[in-house]
């Protein structure tokens, strides 16, 4: 089982109670003790009688709301309560991943700089914030909660029976360009082959791959029209607001798109999350985000042309495969011979590392996204 929550080892069995409906159901079924329960971000006002009748020693309440006086009584009875943190523009105890609609809430009438995603980034880079214990605690709790939610997602029907294939590539690919269209076609082909697409969740090739997956169910003509519509705002500079609004309009027109995953980070807060990843695991810690994204892709990773970030991801993935058991090696496909042999010559090093290792027959260099899907068996 994957461990995406950032835990350093196995933990005792616990019960995650992440909705008030789950709490009520457990009480109705006759629960008498909350030992091992983790109640996460619940509004427990009006449940005082139920809490008084439960043994709460060993229970953990994270960011919950109680009737007046209840919190102190629970502490005296042995419960551990992590309080709601003041002045933090996000819920560090959240029990689910983000949606683009949540991160861009208010986009129809306000500029991006006033929306939740931007406000969180602004909070994270305040002067002295990295030295504040409360800020460090809030961001660490948040990233743990996101990892926990991501772990739940990978064990749910969302990914049941489907392999997860990562698409890595640069943020610089502009809408309307050949590179953007190719990345979108790749996402479309992968989704149509039954795979779940995962990206770094940002703009450029990442947005394109999530877009292609999202619109994989519509005819080719509609797909081309959407690409042309997005091309009216090629990039997120100078206006993230305009860039995101065009994407939101496409999503509004096709509200039932194919799900895909984006895993961005506020570490690169100048790069906004794209609107086409239906499930967004956004982290503060980029190192954790990078490791989790690679671990998650059990069906392999396709690397589109990119620069420093993509090169880093290639060799981070290569290191995992280099030391893996044969059965655990996942495919690596580099797209663009000229790019990866001459402009950023990662391929000579990668193929040399792979020689004589179990990964040798799982690394590929191709020229087109169609070839990339084909060598992965799609």
């Amino acid at each position: 089982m994957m461990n995406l929550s950032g835990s350093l080892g196995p933990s005792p069995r616990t019960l995650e109670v992440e909705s008030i409906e789950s709490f009520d159901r457990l009480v109705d079924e006759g629960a008498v003790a909350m030992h091992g329960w983790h109640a996460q971000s619940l509004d427990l006002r009006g449940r005082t009688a139920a809490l008084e009748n439960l043994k709460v020693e060993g229970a953990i309440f994270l960011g919950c709301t109680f009737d007046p006086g209840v919190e102190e009584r629970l502490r005296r009875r042995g419960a551990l309560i992590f309080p709601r943190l003041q002045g933090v523009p996000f819920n560090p105890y959240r029990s689910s991943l983000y949606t683009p609609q949540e991160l861009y809430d208010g986009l129809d009438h306000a500029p991006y700089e006033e929306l939740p995603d931007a406000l969180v980034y602004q909070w994270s880079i305040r002067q002295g914030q990295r030295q504040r214990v409360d800020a460090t605690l809030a961001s660490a709790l948040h990233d743990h909660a996101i990892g926990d939610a991501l772990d739940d997602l990978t064990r749910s029907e969302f990914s049941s029976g489907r392999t997860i294939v990562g698409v890595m590539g640069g943020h610089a690919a502009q809408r309307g360009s050949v590179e953007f269209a190719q990345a979108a076609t790749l996402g479309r082909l992968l989704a149509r082959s039954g795979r779940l697409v995962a990206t770094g969740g940002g703009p450029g090739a990442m947005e394109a791959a999530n877009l292609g997956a999202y619109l994989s169910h519509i005819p080719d003509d509609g797909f081309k029209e959407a690409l042309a519509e997005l091309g009216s705002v090629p990039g997120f500079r100078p206006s993230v607001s305009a860039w995101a609004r065009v994407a939101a309009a496409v999503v509004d027109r096709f509200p039932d798109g194919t799900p895909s995953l984006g895993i961005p980070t506020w570490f690169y807060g100048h790069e906004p999350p794209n609107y086409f990843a239906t499930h967004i695991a956004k982290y503060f810690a980029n190192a954790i985000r990078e490791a989790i994204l690679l671990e998650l892709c059990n069906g392999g990773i396709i690397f589109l042309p990119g620069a420093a970030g993509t090169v880093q991801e290639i060799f981070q993935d290569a290191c995992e495969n280099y030391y893996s058991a044969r059965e655990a090696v996942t495919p690596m496909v580099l797209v663009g011979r000229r790019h990866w042999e001459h402009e950023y010559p990662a391929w000579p090093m990668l193929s040399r590392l792979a020689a004589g290792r179990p990964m040798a027959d799982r690394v590929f260099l191709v020229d087109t996204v169609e070839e990339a899907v084909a060598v992965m068996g799609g």
Side-chain angles (χ1 to χ4, degrees):
M1 181 182 297
M2 276 184 285
N3 171 23
L4 305 178
S5 62
S7 171
L8 297 178
S11 60
R13 291 183 180 179
T14 57
L15 179 63
E16 306 289 339
V17 184
E18 298 174 340
S19 71
I20 197 66
E21 292 78 16
S22 297
F23 177 84
D24 289 342
R25 186 180 66 254
L26 289 163
V27 171
D28 291 342
E29 290 173 352
V32 296
M34 293 183 66
H35 183 83
W37 290 24
H38 292 179
Q40 194 163 329
S41 199
L42 302 185
D43 185 349
L44 291 167
R45 290 173 294 186
R47 268 73 178 180
T48 298
L51 290 168
E52 294 290 350
N53 289 326
L54 287 163
K55 296 178 181 178
V56 296
E57 185 174 359
I60 298 177
F61 296 88
L62 302 120
C64 295
T65 306
F66 306 96
D67 288 326
V70 171
E71 184 173 329
E72 183 56 36
R73 293 202 298 274
L74 291 172
R75 281 200 175 94
R76 288 200 303 266
R77 294 168 57 205
L80 178 61
I81 300 178
F82 286 79
R84 299 176 69 87
L85 300 176
Q86 302 301 315
V88 176
F90 56 89
N91 179 6
Y93 308 112
R94 62 180 298 120
S95 60
S96 62
L97 300 182
Y98 291 100
T99 64
Q101 291 79 10
E102 181 182 0
L103 291 173
Y104 285 100
D105 186 36
L107 178 64
D108 58 336
H109 62 271
Y112 171 72
E113 291 75 15
E114 298 177 7
L115 305 187
D117 184 67
L119 293 177
V120 174
Y121 177 57
Q122 292 166 26
W123 172 89
S124 73
I125 61 172
R126 287 178 188 167
Q127 186 173 5
Q129 193 79 309
R130 294 180 187 273
Q131 286 74 46
R132 291 173 58 94
V133 173
D134 56 345
T136 301
L137 177 62
S139 58
L141 286 168
H142 170 276
D143 283 4
H144 180 87
I146 288 293
D148 191 44
L150 187 55
D151 200 29
D152 289 343
L153 188 77
T154 60
R155 292 186 278 109
S156 71
E157 293 182 1
F158 175 79
S159 58
S160 178
R162 293 189 291 171
T163 58
I164 302 174
V165 173
V167 176
M168 311 294 182
H171 66 270
Q174 296 277 287
R175 295 168 175 175
S177 67
V178 172
E179 294 78 11
F180 189 91
Q182 284 296 298
T185 299
L186 174 59
R188 183 171 168 85
L189 291 172
L190 289 170
R192 285 189 160 188
S193 69
R195 295 175 170 96
L196 177 60
V197 173
T199 78
M206 296 171 280
E207 180 192 36
N210 286 127
L211 163 70
Y214 186 81
L215 296 181
S216 61
H217 66 296
I218 70 172
D220 289 346
D221 288 346
F223 178 59
K224 292 175 182 176
E225 288 175 8
L227 284 174
E229 181 179 348
L230 289 168
S232 65
V233 183
F236 62 91
R237 296 189 180 96
S239 173
V240 176
S241 305
W243 176 82
R245 284 174 184 145
V246 175
V250 172
V251 169
D252 288 345
R253 195 162 71 255
F254 301 101
D256 299 315
T258 301
S260 69
L261 183 62
I263 308 183
T265 172
W266 277 293
F267 182 80
Y268 296 129
H270 59 286
E271 294 182 10
N274 77 69
Y275 212 91
F276 297 105
T278 57
H279 296 70
I280 300 176
K282 190 155 190 178
Y283 286 86
F284 287 100
N286 184 54
I288 294 175
R289 167 252 193 177
E290 291 275 9
I292 285 173
L293 181 54
L294 294 175
E295 179 182 357
L296 191 69
C297 297
N298 56 10
I301 299 177
I302 297 174
F303 299 91
L304 297 171
T310 310
V311 171
Q312 174 188 334
E313 290 160 346
I314 288 172
F315 288 104
Q316 193 170 344
D317 192 30
C319 186
E320 294 291 330
N321 277 330
Y322 186 88
Y323 292 108
S324 288
R326 180 177 299 277
E327 295 76 13
V329 173
T330 56
M332 300 178 65
V333 185
L334 276 59
V335 179
R337 290 180 182 275
R338 177 173 177 77
H339 186 87
W340 294 121
E341 285 186 318
H342 301 289
E343 294 182 25
Y344 292 90
W347 176 252
M349 177 67 79
L350 178 62
S351 57
R352 181 69 186 87
L353 280 172
R357 307 291 298 186
M359 65 187 285
D361 59 353
R362 308 303 300 278
V363 298
F364 307 93
L365 177 64
V366 300
D367 265 326
T368 68
V369 297
E370 290 82 4
E371 291 176 287
V373 177
V375 297
M376 297 187 84

